[in-house]
Amino acid sequence: QVQLVESGGGTVQPGGSLRLSCAASRLPLNFFAMTWFRQAPGKEREAVSCIYYSNDTEYSDSVAGRFTNYRGTSNSTVYLQMNSLNPEDTGVYYCATDRRPVCKWNWKITTSGYDHWGQGTQVTVSS
């Protein structure tokens, strides 16, 4: 059974950094695109970044220039480095894949069509 497991969340002060991990079992992530999402309390889940199998990346406007989506040296982990965090970045962060090599054309505006989701990791940015 394929599993995605996020980790690395926590509480950080504004301006701080965190690195999230998305680890997969029974799924070689280097062949597939991976999308990171977040969900703030009372809000809809939103996509923040997608990485292609080629390692090209795309970002939402809200995180571009602050977040970096990249793969580890193994075939089973994707990371989201988050810098210059602010309270608006607070939420539960998820990784998901539809087992395709490229990001969905509408990855920024949809949560549909993903085969596998992690359970999420909480990120809280607060002073």
Side-chain angles (χ1 to χ4, degrees):
Q1 183 178 354
V2 173
Q3 279 190 316
L4 299 178
V5 179
E6 301 94 339
S7 62
T11 299
V12 64
Q13 292 186 339
S17 298
L18 284 173
R19 189 181 75 162
L20 306 184
S21 301
C22 173
S25 60
R26 299 183 177 87
L27 188 70
L29 293 185
N30 58 313
F31 292 120
F32 305 121
M34 181 68 70
T35 305
W36 285 94
F37 295 83
R38 67 186 180 190
Q39 188 164 19
K43 293 188 177 181
E44 294 186 352
R45 193 169 297 186
E46 64 168 343
V48 298
S49 179
C50 187
I51 184 167
Y52 291 72
Y53 85 100
S54 62
N55 292 328
D56 289 335
T57 53
E58 295 183 2
Y59 300 91
S60 68
D61 291 345
S62 62
V63 307
R66 300 187 298 122
F67 289 13
T68 303
N69 191 354
Y70 66 100
R71 299 182 189 277
T73 55
S74 73
N75 294 333
S76 60
T77 307
V78 173
Y79 299 95
L80 187 68
Q81 176 68 42
M82 307 186 297
N83 298 329
S84 301
L85 286 163
N86 59 62
E88 290 69 38
D89 296 315
T90 294
V92 179
Y93 283 69
Y94 302 88
C95 57
T97 182
D98 61 358
R99 294 188 294 177
R100 296 178 183 270
V102 297
C103 301
K104 295 180 182 295
W105 67 270
N106 58 348
W107 71 267
K108 290 184 179 180
I109 59 172
T110 185
T111 60
S112 299
Y114 288 91
D115 298 322
H116 304 290
W117 289 84
Q119 83 292 347
T121 185
Q122 175 70 46
V123 171
T124 302
V125 184
S126 174
S127 55

